[in-house]
Amino acid sequence: EAGVTQFPSHSVIEKGQTVTLRCDPISGHDNLYWYRRVMGKEIKFLLHFVKESKQDESGMPNNRFLAERTGGTYSTLKVQPAELEDSGVYFCASSQALSKNIQYFGAGTRLSVL
Amino acid sequence: AQSVSQHNHHVILSEAASLELGCNYSYGGTVNLFWYVQYPGQHLQLLLKYFSGDPLVKGIKGFEAEFIKSKFSFNLRKPSVQWSDTAEYFCAVNANTGGFKTIFGAGTRLFVKA
């Protein structure tokens, strides 16, 4: 069974540019989460999809971040325009059930904004 | 606010030494508790989990953790570490009252000297 896959693994962009990160969850997992780890800090929740609906987006830093999950399958996280403080590792996770919620993580996308 | 505190940011041990990584959480409700591990260059992987029942849980690679509800703690232990245990370890919590978004500790980097 394929795990959670994220693309790209690494992205280097200049301040002001746009970047789109993609996450493919484990097939059949309705729950999809985005997290971010800024260097030296803890992994922080960004948002949670249940199928195509945003269940909780309380962790999204500001309106430069837009997450979508059309059709309830893969998800994208777009940063537009990117700022220096957006640099970090963006993790995606998916889970099948909400109760006893075991989240399986992707390898992450390392975003460097110069 | 919900939070997870890991006591040590960096730990250096020699092979065969015993390991205990401290984790305390701040959460009022019924929680699910996890330890994740990230080996160099690899995904976050689930090491072990606690949902209910026996507070002493065993995970992969000889790790175990004990949930002490009165202390809001979930410490990770291993009697004898190996060089291959060198990794970063994350304590994490989620709960239905939080929509199952996972709250992570800051991580503990373990380096095991051969």
Side-chain angles (χ1 to χ4, degrees):
Chain A
E1 179 186 279
V4 177
T5 57
Q6 292 187 245
F7 182 83
S9 57
H10 196 173
S11 179
V12 181
I13 61 172
E14 293 188 350
K15 176 182 170 181
Q17 289 186 320
T18 297
V19 64
T20 300
L21 314 180
R22 174 173 169 144
C23 169
D24 286 76
I26 293 172
S27 178
H29 282 194
D30 287 342
N31 297 285
L32 187 150
Y33 302 81
W34 283 97
Y35 296 87
R36 176 174 76 170
R37 189 181 195 196
V38 171
M39 192 170 67
K41 302 283 181 88
E42 65 269 28
I43 300 169
K44 284 199 169 178
F45 168 83
L46 296 178
L47 88 159
H48 169 206
F49 283 99
V50 177
K51 296 185 180 178
E52 67 274 10
S53 299
K54 290 176 186 174
Q55 183 76 10
D56 181 353
E57 51 184 330
S58 61
M60 294 288 262
N62 51 60
N63 59 10
R64 295 185 293 103
F65 289 75
L66 175 64
E68 294 180 323
R69 192 182 182 196
T70 308
T73 54
Y74 70 91
S75 174
T76 58
L77 179 65
K78 183 162 71 174
V79 185
Q80 178 182 31
E83 298 289 344
L84 299 179
E85 65 265 24
D86 301 332
S87 296
V89 181
Y90 290 77
F91 292 101
C92 175
S94 72
S95 71
Q96 190 167 36
L98 266 185
S99 63
K100 299 189 176 180
N101 189 299
I102 299 174
Q103 296 175 21
Y104 297 89
F105 283 79
T109 294
R110 182 173 295 277
L111 175 64
S112 301
V113 182
L114 306 179
Chain B
Q2 305 142 19
S3 66
V4 176
S5 174
Q6 291 185 237
H7 304 170
N8 310 95
H9 293 300
H10 293 92
V11 174
I12 302 174
L13 295 173
S14 296
E15 276 196 313
S18 64
L19 170 72
E20 181 158 2
L21 301 182
C23 172
N24 287 88
Y25 64 93
S26 169
Y27 209 108
T30 301
V31 297
N32 301 320
L33 297 158
F34 307 86
W35 276 95
Y36 284 90
V37 60
Q38 188 170 27
Y39 297 102
Q42 295 189 28
H43 294 206
L44 270 170
Q45 301 174 37
L46 183 66
L47 201 53
L48 47 78
K49 63 190 182 294
Y50 173 80
F51 294 134
S52 62
D54 188 344
L56 184 63
V57 292
K58 296 193 184 296
I60 60 172
K61 304 187 180 186
F63 286 90
E64 64 178 33
E66 185 175 12
F67 170 50
I68 303 179
K69 189 173 181 180
S70 61
K71 294 184 177 180
F72 296 89
S73 70
F74 191 56
N75 293 354
L76 181 71
R77 298 194 292 252
K78 185 170 183 178
S80 175
V81 295
Q82 300 172 311
W83 176 81
S84 58
D85 293 325
T86 294
E88 191 162 17
Y89 294 80
F90 297 90
C91 182
V93 173
N94 68 31
N96 61 352
T97 52
F100 292 103
K101 64 185 179 190
T102 300
I103 309 298
F104 286 87
T108 297
R109 288 186 184 271
L110 171 65
F111 180 73
V112 181
K113 298 183 289 185

